[in-house]
Amino acid sequence: MLIAKSIRYNNILVTRVRSLASCRKYSDTNEQRFRGKYDVIITGGGMVGCTLACAMGKNGLFSNLKILLLEGSTDKKFQLKPEYSNRVVALNQSTKSLMNSLEIWQHVEKMRLQPVRHMQVWDACSDALISFSSREILDDDVAYIVENDVLLEAVNIELKSSSVKNVDILYEAKVTGYELSKSGCQGNIVKMNNGDSYSCDLLIGADGANSAVRQAMGVQYVSWNYDQMGIVATLHLAEESANTTAWQRFLPTGPIAFLPLDSTKSSLVWTTPKSLSKELLSLPEERFVDALNDAMWKQYPRNSAVDACTSWLGSVLKRFDLPDSTERQLPPSVQSIVPGSRAAFPLGFGHSTRYVAPGVALIGDAAHRVHPLAGQGLNLGFGDVKDLVQFLSDAIYTGLDITHPSWMEKYESSRQRHNVPTQLAVDALNRLYGIELPPLVLVRSIGLQLTNAFHPIKKLIMSHAAT
Ligand SMILES: Cc1cc2nc3c(=O)[nH]c(=O)nc-3n(C[C@H](O)[C@H](O)[C@H](O)COP(=O)(O)OP(=O)(O)OC[C@H]3O[C@@H](n4cnc5c(N)ncnc54)[C@H](O)[C@@H]3O)c2cc1C
């Protein structure tokens, strides 16, 4: 185990790099060994936790705070490989502006990203579709597809740069328990499996969907597992093109999306029932490709009444010079997948009823988990980072304590006001499109056609998704 950078407590520089062996000495005695007091401890060095550490480290108002970032996994050496990773995220404009403000985006650009300039989402059970294009809606790219590894590396370059002086990082940090301050005045204790312990005034849980910090807070967590898996893979497309369109088709079994990577490759996110995902994962790669092309192209059973209504509405919209669903583009065909790139992830919903407790705050998936169909999970987490840093810096500026309830409550209500409606809307979409009952297909198809036709509604949706 290595502790990167120097560790200070009680204003004494203790050591620059400590090895696992020295830590073991204390665990062998089975005693809790106090290793230091920090102002802020962030548990979880995923994309959200690292970005928060970086944002706090770069903010002059926090320069007197000693911050410790605890990450359970190793400090992996990153190397950009020619093959794309199968784990990618769609990042919105708000995330880009956060990353720009932290000088992280330049590193992503130097490695690789693909802009999404057009997005087409359509229903397999009707002709209804919605499309978003950068020119039409935002005058900027709709989103950016970035590999998780690339983004984390870009964050780490800045986090470990000389512009961040007050953040210590402890890798392979296995937290076994927390003693949380009841009032926020006594400080929190973080206990490690090697017998070490740390204390802090403010503890931030960025430790993902199974957050142990959230469990220690004892807050109510509303959660359910979808009986669905998200299958991911890297796809070779049949034809070369600019490939800046993201495609998503809602099948009765769940949505399938192709996210552009470069002129010939896209990344797959395919939601399927668990039973089907097992079958799809066990198919030989050529047959999996056939299943993919079927999912994007196959004609599903249609209801003639639904078709008649949507085509009538389409003609009315056309008469008023409004876009109708017939103006669709054809999605790409898949030629092959990158060998071994198929994987599947369980999908679930999670909402922590409280994001804060005295001296403790949650961010990212620790606070909220959302279905990936709208590509919002990580973007919501970065929104948490932005707001937390903003409210905490306002509090420090006005002379308040870093655990003062007023900023923490502002953070919680601001984030829940944004996150909860997004989570519920995404959950509702997933449920709505899982139903093949003709009256419901009709309602959702008309809704989609009208939303597609009226720019102000589309703009509203896009601006919510972009923040
Ligand atoms: C198939 C799929 C596709 C997705 N696509 C998108 C997308 O397009 N756009 C988008 O915005 N989001 C997307 N998401 C969601 C996104 O991946 C998550 O929201 C995001 O990874 C959450 O980041 P996080 O840092 O909060 O949590 P995590 O990534 O879970 O990180 C938590 C970190 O905490 C560490 N940790 C946990 N416990 C401890 C402990 N006790 N001690 C120390 N460290 C600990 C872990 O090692 C980990 O590094 C997708 C998700 C899936 C499954």
Side-chain angles (χ1 to χ4, degrees):
M1 185 188 296
L2 286 181
I3 300 176
K5 299 186 182 171
S6 56
I7 290 200
R8 283 169 190 276
Y9 58 90
N10 299 335
N11 274 336
I12 302 164
L13 182 67
V14 173
T15 177
R16 288 199 69 80
V17 176
R18 219 153 17 94
S19 73
L20 180 64
S22 67
C23 299
R24 286 247 171 82
K25 210 166 63 196
Y26 302 111
S27 64
D28 290 344
T29 66
N30 218 10
E31 276 172 23
Q32 207 69 49
R33 169 87 187 191
F34 182 64
R35 287 295 196 176
K37 158 134 182 39
Y38 283 85
D39 297 296
V40 181
I41 293 182
I42 302 167
T43 27
M47 291 179 277
V48 173
C50 282
T51 303
L52 177 67
C54 184
M56 294 182 82
K58 284 186 164 227
N59 187 319
L61 281 166
F62 301 148
S63 59
N64 289 328
L65 298 182
K66 289 187 297 169
I67 300 166
L68 175 64
L69 175 65
L70 298 173
E71 168 52 33
S73 60
T74 51
D75 182 12
K76 296 177 203 94
K77 289 281 158 282
F78 174 84
Q79 243 198 328
L80 190 65
K81 297 189 185 122
E83 288 297 0
Y84 287 90
S85 158
N86 59 3
R87 293 305 313 273
V88 308
V89 276
L91 302 177
N92 64 20
Q93 285 295 338
S94 174
T95 293
K96 180 186 172 185
S97 89
L98 172 70
M99 294 300 163
N100 257 330
S101 70
L102 299 174
E103 297 167 287
I104 292 169
W105 197 251
Q106 54 174 336
H107 304 300
V108 177
E109 283 179 325
K110 263 186 220 151
M111 288 182 269
R112 62 191 171 204
L113 62 79
Q114 180 75 342
V116 177
R117 307 222 156 96
H118 189 86
M119 191 188 286
Q120 181 171 294
V121 180
W122 71 109
D123 190 338
C125 298
S126 79
D127 278 333
L129 75 72
I130 189 161
S131 66
F132 302 97
S133 114
S134 29
R135 259 172 303 128
E136 170 190 34
I137 306 284
L138 295 165
D139 273 337
D140 209 338
D141 300 318
V142 176
Y144 302 90
I145 309 300
V146 180
E147 293 148 275
N148 292 16
D149 287 357
V150 166
L151 184 59
L152 189 59
E153 172 64 9
V155 176
N156 273 315
I157 293 173
E158 279 307 306
L159 177 58
K160 294 175 183 175
S161 72
S162 57
S163 60
V164 176
K165 294 193 169 57
N166 56 339
V167 179
D168 296 325
I169 308 171
L170 181 57
Y171 291 101
E172 296 178 66
K174 305 277 184 273
V175 179
T176 50
Y178 298 95
E179 270 174 31
L180 301 186
S181 149
K182 296 218 161 51
S183 63
C185 306
Q186 304 110 309
N188 303 296
I189 308 286
V190 181
K191 294 177 181 171
M192 317 299 289
N193 74 338
N194 62 3
D196 287 354
S197 70
Y198 298 88
S199 75
C200 62
D201 293 330
L202 177 61
L203 174 68
I204 296 174
D207 48 350
N210 297 319
S211 170
V213 174
R214 186 184 65 233
Q215 283 159 29
M217 285 162 77
V219 293
Q220 210 189 340
Y221 184 59
V222 183
S223 67
W224 52 82
N225 285 321
Y226 297 110
D227 187 29
Q228 293 174 321
M229 301 290 281
I231 301 181
V232 297
T234 308
L235 314 176
H236 284 288
L237 304 178
E239 276 173 27
E240 193 168 343
S241 70
N243 199 19
T244 51
T245 300
W247 309 89
Q248 177 151 268
R249 188 182 196 201
F250 277 95
L251 310 175
T253 48
I256 178 167
F258 291 176
L259 308 174
L261 294 173
D262 65 23
S263 61
T264 55
K265 287 181 215 75
S266 284
S267 186
L268 169 75
V269 184
W270 187 1
T271 301
T272 64
K274 276 191 174 152
S275 50
L276 178 59
S277 75
K278 268 193 203 141
E279 216 177 286
L280 288 167
L281 289 175
S282 64
L283 286 178
E285 282 176 354
E286 314 82 70
R287 289 198 39 219
F288 180 71
V289 169
D290 293 341
L292 276 176
N293 285 322
D294 254 15
M296 269 290 172
W297 288 89
K298 185 178 128 184
Q299 273 282 3
Y300 279 77
R302 303 278 281 256
N303 180 283
S304 52
V306 173
D307 278 352
C309 288
T310 51
S311 109
W312 172 80
L313 181 59
S315 60
V316 172
L317 293 172
K318 253 191 182 150
R319 213 172 305 146
F320 288 96
D321 230 8
L322 290 166
D324 95 282
S325 298
T326 53
E327 294 161 10
R328 66 180 57 217
Q329 291 184 23
L330 298 177
S333 296
V334 180
Q335 189 175 56
S336 60
I337 64 168
V338 170
S341 66
R342 254 182 306 177
F345 298 89
L347 306 177
F349 175 99
H351 161 65
S352 180
T353 52
R354 299 298 316 258
Y355 287 8
V356 299
V360 191
L362 298 174
I363 58 169
D365 274 23
H368 42 75
R369 187 175 176 206
V370 62
H371 195 288
L373 73 86
Q376 284 295 307
L378 187 59
N379 290 302
L380 295 182
F382 289 138
D384 298 344
V385 170
K386 236 182 192 175
D387 279 13
L388 189 145
V389 169
Q390 182 62 54
F391 290 121
L392 179 55
S393 48
D394 288 351
I396 291 176
Y397 188 72
T398 51
L400 291 179
D401 196 78
I402 61 167
T403 57
H404 200 281
S406 77
W407 82 261
M408 298 185 84
E409 278 157 21
K410 273 189 212 155
Y411 161 72
E412 179 181 79
S413 64
S414 142
R415 288 320 295 161
Q416 291 200 342
R417 265 205 306 271
H418 183 83
N419 295 346
V420 177
T422 309
Q423 288 179 273
L424 294 177
V426 172
D427 180 71
L429 277 179
N430 187 43
R431 287 173 197 280
L432 183 64
Y433 279 91
I435 300 170
E436 286 176 89
L437 225 58
L440 269 176
V441 175
L442 178 63
V443 170
R444 75 185 186 216
S445 300
I446 289 177
L448 203 62
Q449 275 181 298
L450 292 175
T451 309
N452 188 50
F454 294 106
H455 272 206
I457 312 180
K458 266 213 270 190
K459 216 167 180 167
L460 210 69
I461 296 172
M462 282 308 285
S463 59
H464 184 85
T467 55

